[in-house]
Amino acid sequence: MKFISIQGPAAPGFFMDNERCQRFHSLLHSMFDSQYFLTNSKYKTDIIYENSLNLNDYIINQLFKYADKPFDGKCRKHFYTSSEAKNTLEAFFIRLYHFTQRKEWYEEFIQKFDQEIRENPQNPIARHLLGCFKHIELSNFQNLYEDVLQQKKLTIDRHQTYGLLVEYLSRFNVN
């Protein structure tokens, strides 16, 4: 499982309108069939895919193209990548956890995440991520996805939850 992510102030340059996002989906689908999951919001874009080859650099170059941006080495450094399943899952949830600190950004991302889940309910990567949400047994973290969808107030103890999340993810067995 491989992971590409950009979030925060550098991410809006990679937010794609619906047409460009659909074309980018088509590219990813042609490369990975349904073995990928893309969430593209204004302040966070995540791509998780399953492939024996590490295509992170190629996909990042394609993101520049589809976002209609010239490739820029300085901007490239804002992307986080991983190439192992354990690192990918840890990074996804830890980065998501940090992202919750900006509630308005987080809520938009989760709406896009939910839209992707609803449009592709049989996507194996999405199902795996949802399974991870269900198995993270942290009182402050386990319902982050459902809480925003139900419009509940998001409150978490940042330091305690982060420590418990890292401890839990270090024990997580990737299948």
Side-chain angles (χ1 to χ4, degrees), residues 40-57:
N40 181 242
S41 70
K42 186 172 181 182
Y43 289 98
K44 183 172 178 59
T45 295
D46 286 344
I47 303 165
I48 300 174
Y49 66 95
E50 185 67 49
N51 195 287
S52 59
L53 300 174
N54 183 342
L55 299 170
N56 289 346
D57 289 333

Side-chain angles (χ1 to χ4, degrees), residues 2-3 7 13 19 22 28 38 48 53 59 72-74 77 87 91 98 100 113 118-119 147 159 163 174:
K2 317 294 190 286
F3 182 48
Q7 67 187 45
E19 181 183 330
Q22 286 305 317
L28 294 176
L38 165 67
I48 300 174
L53 300 174
I59 294 169
D72 176 1
K74 291 179 184 177
K77 70 179 182 176
N87 293 342
H98 285 291
T100 63
F113 182 91
R118 290 176 196 271
E119 290 175 3
D147 284 355
H159 299 291
V174 178

Side-chain angles (χ1 to χ4, degrees), residues 16-27:
M16 296 174 273
D17 61 28
N18 284 336
E19 181 183 330
R20 285 185 185 170
C21 195
Q22 286 305 317
R23 289 194 325 235
F24 192 65
H25 266 291
S26 294
L27 170 72

